[in-house]
Amino acid sequence: MKTMYGRQFATMVGMVLLSFLMLGASFATLSYQYTIREKKDTLERNAKYIAQFTSNSLRTGDETVWRTSDFQSYLNSVALVSDTHIMVTTPEGVVVYATQGGSALPALQYATLPRPLTEQIAAGSRYVGMTTLDGLYDETRYLVGLPITSGQGYLQGLVLVSSSASTISGVWRDLSGILLVTALAVILIAAIISSATSMRQSQPIKEIAAAARQFGLGQLDVRVDVGNRRDEVGELAEAFNAMAESLSISEQRRSEFIANVSHELKTPMTTIAGFADGILDGTIPPDQERHYLEIISSETRRLSRLVRSMLDLSRLQSDERAAQQQFDICETLVRALVTLERKVNAKHLEVDAQLPDDEPIPVWGDQDAITQVCYNLLDNAIKFSKEGGVLGLGVTVKGGKATVTISNQGETIPPEEQQLVFDRFHKTDHSRSADRDGVGLGLYIVKTILNSHKESIVCTSEDGVTKFVFTLTRA
């Protein structure tokens, strides 16, 4: 399996190696050309000096000047100092003197140079190149040849200065060796650094993968600890931990939801089964059967409401976005209040409606869903209002929002309970006996609908007055 560590390590080493190969080839080529150019310039300069010295010596009219000890000592000294081999020839290419010191090759004395080379130099041109002089040299040498001319342009002879090519090759080999050692050292350092950085990057990802596998096996408390990293890997770990925390909370809520549903279903079913068995086996007297049948009927309707509320909740949670249409929120609120008129009258409540009389307040949203929001909030307010209390309704407009307020007079909800009233199956009476008609999903459905509309709702309760306030976008 190709790991990220292996790929990054190979990429780093490959890039360093390729860079050094390219830089090394460029540096070696430039160094070689520079060395050749320097050697050429040196040989040409020495050849010019020797040609000038020889020409001046021949002006005395002595054609055997190269046989004198002064002339030969001068050439030998130049050859020794510059580590070169010097030859002086006649215009026809016959070697009349070859240096004895330094790179001396005595066997070349009185040898004849190749005709093409002598003709090229005698024609007034110079010769520069690598040659063995048709075997006169045992090895290839870098050679520069110049003519020896008198002041009147008369050709007096030829001078050839050569240097061993192994000297140039030795310089190039030394440079290549230094470059190779440097490249190996840099590659080794790069490999160590790359190994450390790759391991530092890949290790947290391995930990995240291991945590994800454990999370998939149901260990929802697994989290990834990458220290104080602030790079992409740290962001990935933070995102994983946030996802794990969210899923853990969701799983906890799901478990609570199942437990609450089981409890809500168990209580009425136990009541129905117990009273039905009592009627069937004669435990309940015939004159009380009607009373218990009414209880059975009430519990059955309660089960029906619970199932219907759960179906509504499932439908709301599956909708991706709320339908958008324009409607009058005041009319919708009044219509929901009218459907609850019997309950209002049963508690002798006074309705305080603070609604504008002159014009409607159009808003955007799903009218049926907002109607259900108003109905659930009004039904909840009526249910927990004290006998003869005030039921408040209000709609105000500010900016691009319409604010709806529904209030009632009753018991004050403790501050710690106010943020929990919108949870599923939450009831302020934890014994679940005070509210026999409710199923604990009404306010949760309200919250779900408003969330789908990208709107907010808050609950406040103070001095016996409880208010629910939500917003809608004006049309």
Side-chain angles (χ1 to χ4, degrees):
M1 181 179 66
K2 294 183 178 180
T3 62
M4 186 181 73
Y5 167 78
R7 287 195 297 268
Q8 186 171 358
F9 180 79
T11 301
M12 176 70 75
V13 173
M15 289 180 62
V16 172
L17 182 60
L18 179 61
S19 299
F20 260 94
L21 287 176
M22 296 177 65
L23 290 174
S26 301
F27 182 75
T29 302
L30 292 174
S31 300
Y32 182 78
Q33 292 177 351
Y34 176 79
T35 304
I36 290 292
R37 186 168 58 251
E38 286 293 313
K39 181 63 67 174
K40 168 180 167 293
D41 293 341
T42 301
L43 294 179
E44 283 186 355
R45 187 167 53 252
N46 291 338
K48 286 181 181 180
Y49 290 155
I50 296 171
Q52 184 65 37
F53 176 76
T54 305
S55 176
N56 292 335
S57 298
L58 290 174
R59 288 176 184 175
T60 62
D62 185 4
E63 297 293 335
T64 61
V65 65
W66 41 75
R67 296 178 182 175
T68 64
S69 59
D70 292 340
F71 180 81
Q72 293 180 1
S73 297
Y74 172 74
L75 294 187
N76 288 332
S77 298
V78 173
L80 183 63
V81 170
S82 60
D83 191 20
T84 58
H85 182 257
I86 302 172
M87 292 184 294
V88 178
T89 73
T90 65
E92 293 78 19
V94 178
V95 179
V96 295
Y97 183 76
T99 56
Q100 302 294 317
S103 301
L105 297 172
L108 295 180
Q109 196 80 12
Y110 305 114
T112 301
L113 300 181
R115 178 171 292 274
L117 184 144
T118 58
E119 290 178 351
Q120 178 181 344
I121 300 175
S125 177
R126 65 178 180 175
Y127 175 85
V128 178
M130 305 283 287
T131 181
T132 62
L133 294 178
D134 290 345
L136 294 180
Y137 285 135
D138 294 334
E139 61 176 359
T140 301
R141 298 177 69 85
Y142 193 79
L143 184 140
V144 172
L146 294 177
I148 302 174
T149 58
S150 65
Q152 292 76 26
Y154 173 71
L155 182 63
Q156 297 174 305
L158 308 177
V159 59
L160 294 94
V161 182
S162 65
S163 176
S164 175
S166 61
T167 304
I168 302 174
S169 301
V171 173
W172 188 83
R173 284 194 300 270
D174 292 341
L175 291 175
S176 299
I178 294 173
L179 189 64
L180 179 61
V181 172
T182 305
L184 292 176
V186 172
I187 290 176
L188 179 61
I189 295 174
I192 296 174
I193 296 176
S194 175
S195 178
T197 56
S198 300
M199 183 66 69
R200 186 173 185 270
Q201 292 181 359
S202 62
Q203 187 60 34
I205 296 179
K206 291 181 180 180
E207 295 178 1
I208 293 174
R213 284 190 289 269
Q214 294 179 3
F215 202 85
L217 296 175
Q219 301 181 23
L220 303 184
D221 58 340
V222 176
R223 298 294 183 270
V224 179
D225 182 15
V226 292
N228 58 350
R229 295 187 62 152
R230 292 296 179 264
D231 54 5
E232 291 81 357
V233 176
E235 292 180 2
L236 177 61
E238 290 179 1
F240 176 85
N241 290 337
M243 178 200 69
E245 186 66 24
S246 177
L247 291 176
S248 178
I249 294 175
S250 297
E251 179 64 20
Q252 181 181 357
R253 290 180 177 177
R254 186 188 67 84
S255 300
E256 294 175 355
F257 177 76
I258 293 175
N260 291 331
V261 169
S262 300
H263 185 278
E264 293 292 338
L265 292 175
K266 177 182 177 182
T267 302
M269 290 177 65
T270 302
T271 301
I272 293 172
F275 290 158
D277 290 342
I279 293 174
L280 291 175
D281 61 18
T283 303
I284 297 177
D287 58 337
Q288 296 183 9
E289 287 181 359
R290 181 176 179 82
H291 170 69
Y292 288 103
L293 286 174
E294 289 177 352
I295 296 177
I296 292 174
S297 176
S298 175
E299 292 297 313
T300 303
R301 286 193 297 271
R302 182 164 176 250
L303 282 175
S304 177
R305 288 194 301 272
L306 175 61
V307 172
R308 185 170 60 252
S309 296
M310 292 178 63
L311 291 175
D312 291 341
L313 182 60
S314 177
R315 175 182 58 81
L316 290 171
Q317 291 177 335
S318 64
D319 290 342
E320 293 185 359
R321 54 183 300 178
Q324 294 293 312
Q325 60 188 106
Q326 183 176 336
F327 61 94
D328 182 11
I329 183 59
C330 295
E331 179 183 352
T332 301
L333 188 60
V334 171
R335 189 184 303 121
L337 179 63
V338 171
T339 59
L340 294 167
E341 184 178 0
R342 288 180 52 191
K343 292 186 177 182
V344 172
N345 294 333
K347 277 202 169 183
H348 306 96
L349 299 179
E350 177 184 348
V351 178
D352 180 16
Q354 301 292 330
L355 304 176
D357 298 329
D358 51 349
E359 59 182 10
I361 300 179
V363 295
W364 286 106
D366 185 342
Q367 185 173 8
D368 292 338
I370 299 302
T371 299
Q372 185 173 1
V373 169
C374 296
Y375 181 90
N376 287 3
L377 290 176
L378 288 170
D379 183 58
N380 184 79
I382 295 169
K383 186 185 305 180
F384 293 101
S385 293
K386 65 181 181 179
E387 189 76 17
V390 177
L391 177 65
L393 292 78
V395 179
T396 58
V397 175
K398 184 176 182 180
K401 293 289 185 178
T403 303
V404 182
T405 304
I406 297 176
S407 62
N408 71 300
Q409 292 179 340
E411 294 186 6
T412 301
I413 301 176
E416 63 273 11
E417 294 280 347
Q418 293 176 18
Q419 298 300 321
L420 303 176
V421 294
F422 298 104
D423 290 351
R424 289 174 294 192
F425 295 106
H426 178 78
K427 296 182 179 181
T428 55
D429 180 12
H430 297 283
S431 66
R432 300 181 182 268
S433 60
D435 180 15
R436 298 293 299 172
D437 293 332
V439 295
L441 289 175
L443 294 180
Y444 181 75
I445 291 175
V446 167
K447 182 76 170 180
T448 302
I449 292 174
L450 291 175
N451 284 343
S452 68
H453 283 72
K454 303 295 187 292
E455 302 291 350
S456 62
I457 182 170
V458 294
C459 170
T460 61
S461 184
E462 191 176 51
D463 298 331
V465 177
T466 300
K467 295 182 180 180
F468 288 87
V469 182
F470 67 93
T471 60
L472 291 171
T473 302
R474 292 188 64 191

